[in-house]
Amino acid sequence: MAAPHVVIIGGGFGGLFGARAFKHAPVEVTLIDRHNHHVFQPLLYQVATAGLSPGDIASPIRWILRRQKNVRVLLGEAQAIDVAAKRVTLDGGQSLTYDYLIVAAGADNSYFGHPEWAQFAPALKTLDDALRVRARMLLAYEVAEREADPAVRKRMLTSVIVGGGPTGVEMAGAIAEIAHQTLSDEFQSIRTAESRIVLAEAGPSILSAFPETLRNAARKSLQKLGVEVREKTAVTRIEHETVWLGDERIEAGTIIWAAGIAASPLGKTLGVPLDRAGRVLVHKDLTIPGHPEAFVVGDLASLTDQNGQPYPGVAQVAMQQAQQAARNVIRAIQGQPHAEFHYKNLGNMATIGRNSAIADLGWLRVSGFPAWLLWLFIHIVWLIGFRNRILVLVQWAGAYITYQRSVRLITGNLSRKDI
Ligand SMILES: Cc1cc2nc3c(=O)[nH]c(=O)nc-3n(C[C@H](O)[C@H](O)[C@H](O)COP(=O)(O)OP(=O)(O)OC[C@H]3O[C@@H](n4cnc5c(N)ncnc54)[C@H](O)[C@@H]3O)c2cc1C
């Protein structure tokens, strides 16, 4: 008899860890992703702020899984899932049938009903996004340097980051360091140290998932770097180089969106109930209603813990859910009932800049330099691929010693109107 066929959609944190969990299992796995590479999203902001190159934080999925002979990797976009026929339709009309399905298609950026803002305020989800942000930010300084009009200069030296979660905080801190340290002696006509960097958060506090002491420490660190932290401040409108915080209009050469994500539209094609954010409501064993052979994990799944709190959209949840889904597939093949998902929270961290971070490990809450060392260590350990770990370590050591950001390239013949 042929081995059961498991189709995994997505080669992000969920898909990859799901595939790996089948290493010694008697199954044939097909993993489909619309990109040929896995991206370590927690370090995307480093690519966007010229600290790392795309190749430092991403690796071909085919290469990552090369030693696992029961996995076939396909480059393609899953467009629809027919759960009754157990079939996935790909771009180009091809289709694949499965015995078991794990959907780990993650999330896309969401502009809260204003998709038109995307052209003015790029977000950070893919390598292409990060390169677009990098080009936009670097070009703003170039425009300011050759511009005689003080109003335009001021605009070009203003950055607004929308969203005070870890990504927004990390971006704001890195942009402040670039302006105040990295570029401070490279321009003749402008003083980059006079740049204005605004971090706007609609909720009562930045980093709402962290305890108050750590939030306060992070706010202080950002302010020390010269970032204006604006809490309880919702963005009401974004246009070309202009953003409205409530009624206040700010002209900004760089506007970055770090405020929201929406579940992948693939979830809808499953034909099962979704939550308000478009995520698929799954049972505690991560299957969808009526289909014990179909699992949804990671950012696309909606599930609450024993206290009724939703699991956060973080890498650890995606990895652990995918591993549980894979174990449940194996249990089903062995004739055993599925087990429920239980999350082991390993903690939360965010970095604010050089020597400054916050970490909440449950049993340990720490900020400043020790948290920053911990942040560095954890990110190196979790990066996929030995080569990437070495590359990132070398780049960070160089940056630490020289205060430089080595990847400040504006490529592709871009001008500001192109991006
Ligand atoms: C900028 C940023 C910073 C972050 N920082 C942190 C952090 O510091 N710590 C943390 O824990 N979490 C962080 N996260 C969140 C974390 O990355 C996500 O929770 C995690 O990636 C979710 O894993 P996933 O497998 O569900 O989705 P993803 O990892 O996003 O993977 C989804 C995959 O599916 C593919 N895909 C999507 N649709 C299709 C389709 N139709 N067909 C084929 N392939 C498809 C995509 O190409 C992608 O490879 C961050 C996220 C971002 C964007």
Side-chain angles (χ1 to χ4, degrees):
M1 246 172 51
H5 184 208
V6 182
V7 169
I8 299 178
I9 302 175
F13 282 109
L16 210 54
F17 278 74
R20 282 174 164 180
F22 287 114
K23 189 159 187 185
H24 302 294
V27 294
E28 292 297 330
V29 178
T30 303
L31 185 149
I32 305 158
D33 200 296
R34 60 184 173 198
H35 297 120
N36 82 331
H37 50 268
H38 166 84
V39 180
F40 190 77
Q41 292 175 20
L43 291 181
L44 265 178
Y45 87 96
Q46 288 261 337
V47 175
T49 53
L52 294 172
S53 296
D56 299 342
I57 66 156
S59 304
I61 298 168
R62 190 173 294 295
W63 175 82
I64 298 170
L65 295 170
R66 70 195 179 284
R67 296 215 177 89
Q68 204 173 322
K69 295 302 171 201
N70 64 349
V71 178
R72 181 170 71 129
V73 177
L74 294 184
L75 175 65
E77 180 158 38
Q79 293 188 330
I81 301 165
D82 180 342
V83 281
K86 295 190 190 168
R87 190 168 51 223
V88 177
T89 306
L90 304 184
D91 57 303
Q94 261 177 320
S95 65
L96 286 173
T97 54
Y98 59 81
D99 298 301
Y100 297 94
L101 175 72
I102 300 179
V103 189
D108 295 325
N109 296 314
S110 164
Y111 286 80
F112 303 137
H114 290 281
E116 71 281 7
W117 291 355
Q119 57 185 311
F120 311 122
L124 214 52
K125 187 69 190 161
T126 64
L127 287 177
D128 289 337
D129 292 340
L131 293 176
R132 198 172 315 123
V133 169
R134 183 178 84 183
R136 197 172 272 230
M137 178 190 67
L138 295 174
L139 272 168
Y141 291 109
E142 299 300 334
V143 172
E145 175 73 352
R146 58 183 257 192
E147 180 60 56
D149 182 344
V152 179
R153 271 193 189 176
K154 188 174 167 207
R155 178 163 81 234
M156 289 302 135
L157 293 185
T158 302
S159 302
V160 176
I161 298 102
V162 184
T167 301
V169 166
E170 287 166 354
M171 282 299 297
I175 292 177
E177 284 187 343
I178 290 174
H180 299 140
Q181 295 163 6
T182 315
L183 300 179
S184 62
D185 61 354
E186 292 190 13
F187 289 85
Q188 305 302 327
S189 316
I190 55 169
R191 283 176 45 82
T192 61
E194 287 170 3
S195 300
R196 181 179 181 203
I197 297 130
V198 180
L199 175 64
E201 164 58 42
S205 173
I206 58 165
L207 298 169
S208 57
F210 288 83
E212 196 180 345
T213 47
L214 295 183
R215 294 200 301 258
N216 292 342
R219 193 181 301 108
K220 237 187 192 156
S221 295
L222 282 168
Q223 286 163 345
K224 212 164 139 199
L225 282 171
V227 176
E228 275 177 48
V229 180
R230 306 279 295 271
E231 292 162 323
K232 298 184 199 149
T233 304
V235 167
T236 47
R237 192 162 141 200
I238 304 179
E239 287 178 1
H240 177 65
E241 294 179 354
T242 311
V243 52
W244 279 259
L245 304 182
D247 294 332
E248 182 187 349
R249 179 177 184 273
I250 300 180
E251 293 194 359
T254 307
I255 307 170
I256 296 162
W257 185 261
I261 53 169
S264 157
L266 194 61
K268 269 191 212 137
T269 73
L270 289 164
V272 293
L274 309 176
D275 71 8
R276 274 177 36 208
R279 293 174 305 181
V280 179
L281 289 159
V282 293
H283 294 312
K284 293 211 179 302
D285 64 354
L286 303 166
T287 59
I288 59 171
H291 290 277
E293 75 289 350
F295 299 79
V296 180
V297 300
D299 282 2
L300 182 55
S302 177
L303 183 65
T304 51
D305 64 16
Q306 57 276 22
N307 304 319
Q309 293 300 314
Y311 288 114
V314 295
Q316 279 296 332
V317 169
M319 294 190 279
Q320 292 180 30
Q321 286 188 339
Q323 287 168 331
Q324 183 61 54
R327 281 195 293 270
N328 279 344
V329 168
I330 296 166
R331 289 174 75 92
I333 292 168
Q334 293 169 342
Q336 295 174 33
H338 290 165
E340 290 185 358
F341 171 68
H342 293 289
Y343 179 44
K344 187 159 181 256
N345 188 350
L346 299 179
N348 269 334
M349 337 186 94
T351 178
I352 296 109
R354 188 186 177 84
N355 295 346
S356 176
I358 55 171
D360 175 15
L361 307 185
W363 54 276
L364 173 74
R365 287 175 180 172
V366 59
S367 61
F369 184 66
W372 184 71
L373 278 185
L374 196 63
W375 182 92
L376 287 184
F377 175 75
I378 301 246
H379 282 74
I380 293 286
V381 167
W382 279 103
L383 249 181
I384 307 284
F386 180 70
R387 175 186 161 276
N388 284 0
R389 286 188 203 121
I390 298 296
L391 284 175
V392 170
L393 206 56
V394 169
Q395 298 260 31
W396 281 352
Y400 192 76
I401 295 163
T402 63
Y403 283 80
Q404 271 307 315
R405 293 193 160 245
S406 53
V407 211
R408 282 170 25 215
L409 310 176
I410 303 170
T411 53
N413 261 341
L414 285 177
S415 72
R416 282 190 63 81
K417 68 175 170 21
D418 300 318
I419 53 176

